Amino acid sequence: MKIVKTVNEVREIIKNWKKQGLSIGFVPTMGYLHEGHQSLIRAAGENDKVVVSIFVNPIQFGPNEDFASYPRDLDRDTEKCNEAGADLIFAPEASEMYEPDFCTFVNMNGPTDELCGKSRPGHFKGVCTVVSKLFNIVTPDKAYFGQKDAQQLAVIRRMTRDLSISTEIVGCPIIREEDGLAKSSRNTYLNDEERKAALVISRSLNEGRKIIESGENDLNKVIGQIKLLIEKEPLAKIDYVKAVNADSIQPINTADGKILIAAAVYIGKTRLIDNFIIERNAADDSNNA
Ligand code: AMP
């Protein structure tokens, strides 16, 4: 496995692989890798070559967010990539990605209006811009994204469609700790007490799923129940809990279609996200009634 830091080196290697007719799978990450990332790298193994980018992208962080403290450890990440079967790591410095006079951005309306788009203004502009750049550098056949960041997955799918990018976007399931907490690089911020408290997120979402499965169609009631459960945890502070269509990320009130129930919750100072997707067909339900 090779580690490179410049765009030119990546281009040279990719050119060579393409000359040999090899297919390329790509996994963009911000590093501090865990089994969630490794599951994407393993899924990308369906291609001949697997490229992983490790880049804490400054332009997707707000001024009061954790860009400076975001965990970084390239040696540790290298081991994780090796273990999962990556062929190339692209780990650029910010200056390699953004010239001092950089001024071109990819901006989206619609799927970025709600959830994290609302709580983190400018976040998805940063994400879409860096993912476009990375796609242009790596030119992958397929790129792998986790459902852990369900809005991001929907946004990237829409962006590739709207901009006629030929890379196929593959969504991968959420990998969790044994007790249910969604794996995240940010879990390392939690102390023991917060780590226990953080469980309230996946547990409450699970209860919400059960309520829908038991036939509740009023999503406002479901969201209300999830919020009540989370609010019982003193260390938890809700940023949002919301029901949206999983593709358009537009708010929905009734359980119909592909429903995304997404939550962002502060545990102490750490903002964690989690979600589930459930499909419902209201017409079927009424036929069965
Ligand atoms: P990040 O390094 O947090 O930017 O994440 C890089 C990619 O890994 C994104 O596509 C995430 O959705 C995905 N990812 C992060 N955590 C998980 C997880 N627990 N399960 C599955 N995918 C994940």
Side-chain angles (χ1 to χ4, degrees), residues 1 18-19 24 30 47 86 138 176 178 200 221 234 244 246:
M1 190 183 63
K18 293 219 160 162
K19 229 190 266 165
I24 290 156
M30 297 204 301
N47 302 275
V138 177
R176 297 178 179 279
E178 251 171 49
V200 75
K221 281 193 192 154
V244 297

Side-chain angles (χ1 to χ4, degrees), residues 134-165:
L134 290 167
F135 281 3
N136 283 331
I137 295 163
V138 177
T139 61
D141 296 284
K142 294 186 181 188
Y144 298 77
F145 291 84
Q147 193 208 302
K148 160 81 185 344
D149 300 83
Q151 184 176 21
Q152 173 174 272
L153 175 56
V155 163
I156 298 297
R157 281 192 200 284
R158 184 68 68 88
M159 180 187 81
T160 49
R161 190 204 68 183
D162 286 357
L163 297 184
S164 308
I165 294 170

